[in-house]
Amino acid sequence: MISAKLLRVLAPKIARRYSSECAKDGFTVTVIGAAGGVGQPLSLLLKLNPAISELRLHDLVDVPGVTADLSHVETSCKMVFFTGTDHSEAICGADVVVVPAGVPRKPGMSRSDLFTTNAQVVYDFAVVMAKTNPGAIAIIITNPVNSVVPVVCEVLQKAGKLDPRKILGCSTLDSVRANVFLGEATNTDPKNAYVPVVGGHSGPTIIPLWSRSNPKLCLTNKKLASLTKRVQEAGTQVVKAKEGKGSATLSTAYAASRLTYCVLRAMKGETNIVESCYVASDIYPGLKYLATPLLLGKNGVEKNLGLGTINDEEKKLFCGAVEELQKDIKTGEEFVKSKNVK
């Protein structure tokens, strides 16, 4: 258990790093899938954010207990819960909706297996969002991100309610991992490390741009390739290490909270906030969605900063990822078509 004393220490540190001083009227944030392995630690981290005045938790089961538990954390954020299959009340009126709902990856599970279940979860969410609150910023954590973000956008598009600036696929965990590994390689505090990450959010589609890292990496191409592989396979490493008892829940929750904090800061008017996310994109021909560094603003994505300058090795990796991304995107689009959404 986390003691009250420890929470008093953690809350201001987290707030100082990812959140500016908040106004009296804070934001309303909803977590869909709040009782799950990612949802619970994510909700705790969001409860510590002083920019959030109301935190709404939704899940099919167990969410009353999670809400009661978090209500004892000594911050002024109001806790509200919603349960059952209908999450319209939880979404209606929220400024930001964060979606970690769905099943986690298990050993031996393919991305297609994961998609079969989670696509329906995200589809149902998008239908409700289109009807009740299409103006909210949605942060999609549910995997496979490469395919389910297109599901959300296609549903909203068919309903005539899509604002692509506001649908963010959370590929932030790839950035977090790259920063950690860069810190280890350069003996630098990871919070002072930065690596742009582009592509997508699965295996070979994850492309850390070491050529633009800060601090700079002075490694051979072979060692850089090994480091890239480590980022790409980090999720699998966690799944194996947990021996079938879970996936990367804690680091995912941390990464999602970091992105949410940054989104809220930008919504309040803070400038020069850049995060890499998987979004609807016209940056690269033939790819409707792509993860790139984004300048965040009051309405979500203010400017897509694109791929930027990349070296020959990174170009090869990116070109190799294009076909995989196209397949993933098509999978999401075809799923929505099969639903005959009008």
Side-chain angles (χ1 to χ4, degrees):
M1 292 180 62
I2 299 178
S3 68
K5 182 178 179 181
L6 181 57
L7 281 172
R8 281 194 292 269
V9 173
L10 286 175
K13 288 185 177 180
I14 294 173
R16 277 199 300 271
R17 183 169 178 194
Y18 294 120
S19 177
S20 56
E21 189 173 328
C22 66
K24 291 182 180 179
D25 296 324
F27 294 102
T28 296
V29 175
T30 294
V31 180
I32 304 295
V38 173
Q40 290 197 45
L42 171 59
S43 298
L44 171 60
L45 292 169
L46 295 179
K47 180 70 162 71
L48 300 176
N49 184 348
I52 300 174
S53 58
E54 180 173 307
L55 183 60
R56 301 176 181 178
L57 306 185
H58 176 275
D59 215 319
L60 299 177
V61 295
D62 299 333
V63 75
V66 174
T67 306
D69 196 0
L70 287 177
S71 70
H72 298 162
V73 175
E74 53 184 0
T75 71
S76 61
C77 175
K78 177 184 177 182
M79 298 297 303
V80 184
F81 74 85
F82 302 85
T83 190
T85 57
D86 182 4
H87 39 37
S88 55
E89 285 187 79
I91 295 171
C92 185
D95 298 296
V96 177
V97 183
V98 191
V99 187
V103 299
R105 188 153 64 101
K106 299 175 182 178
M109 180 180 280
S110 69
R111 274 174 290 169
S112 60
D113 294 335
L114 194 64
F115 177 79
T116 300
T117 299
N118 287 351
Q120 186 63 50
V121 172
V122 173
Y123 173 86
D124 293 341
F125 156 74
V127 169
V128 174
M129 182 179 177
K131 292 178 180 178
T132 63
N133 192 7
I137 291 177
I139 297 175
I140 310 300
I141 305 165
T142 307
N143 274 314
V145 167
N146 291 1
S147 296
V148 299
V149 168
V151 170
V152 175
C153 289
E154 286 294 306
V155 171
L156 290 169
Q157 178 69 51
K158 289 181 181 297
K161 301 293 179 65
L162 175 63
D163 184 345
R165 301 173 300 172
K166 296 188 174 185
I167 310 300
L168 307 178
C170 185
S171 58
T172 312
L173 181 54
D174 303 321
S175 301
V176 168
R177 286 166 168 160
N179 291 345
V180 169
F181 301 158
L182 173 62
E184 291 176 357
T186 59
N187 197 28
T188 302
D189 189 330
K191 72 180 180 183
N192 297 322
Y194 173 68
V195 185
V197 180
V198 301
H201 184 53
S202 67
T205 71
I206 302 168
I207 305 167
L209 303 180
W210 304 114
S211 65
R212 301 218 308 269
S213 70
N214 184 21
K216 293 294 183 183
L217 265 178
C218 297
L219 298 176
T220 64
N221 285 342
K222 185 177 181 179
K223 289 184 177 180
L224 285 174
S226 177
L227 201 57
T228 294
K229 200 74 171 175
R230 187 181 176 197
V231 176
Q232 293 174 337
E233 297 181 351
T236 301
Q237 177 192 6
V238 175
V239 171
K240 289 180 178 178
K242 290 190 175 182
E243 299 180 332
K245 298 178 182 178
S247 58
T249 52
L250 300 177
S251 53
T252 299
Y254 167 79
S257 72
R258 178 181 121 166
L259 176 57
T260 305
Y261 282 28
C262 289
V263 165
L264 296 177
R265 287 166 52 199
M267 289 176 70
K268 288 174 57 181
E270 190 172 334
T271 58
N272 299 319
I273 298 175
V274 175
E275 282 288 325
S276 290
C277 298
Y278 182 76
V279 297
S281 174
D282 59 2
I283 291 299
Y284 189 84
L287 286 178
K288 297 180 182 178
Y289 300 85
L290 185 64
T292 51
L294 308 168
L295 179 65
L296 300 178
K298 291 185 177 182
N299 294 302
V301 180
E302 183 171 303
K303 184 179 180 180
N304 193 322
L305 301 180
L307 294 172
T309 303
I310 59 179
N311 65 27
D312 290 342
E313 291 300 316
E314 291 161 351
K315 287 178 183 177
K316 289 178 183 177
L317 289 173
F318 183 80
C319 290
V322 168
E323 185 176 351
E324 188 75 26
L325 284 168
Q326 289 172 332
K327 289 179 182 177
D328 291 343
I329 293 165
K330 184 177 180 180
T331 297
E333 293 175 335
E334 291 297 325
F335 179 84
V336 177
K337 286 181 182 179
S338 72
K339 297 292 183 177
N340 295 315
V341 179
K342 298 181 180 178

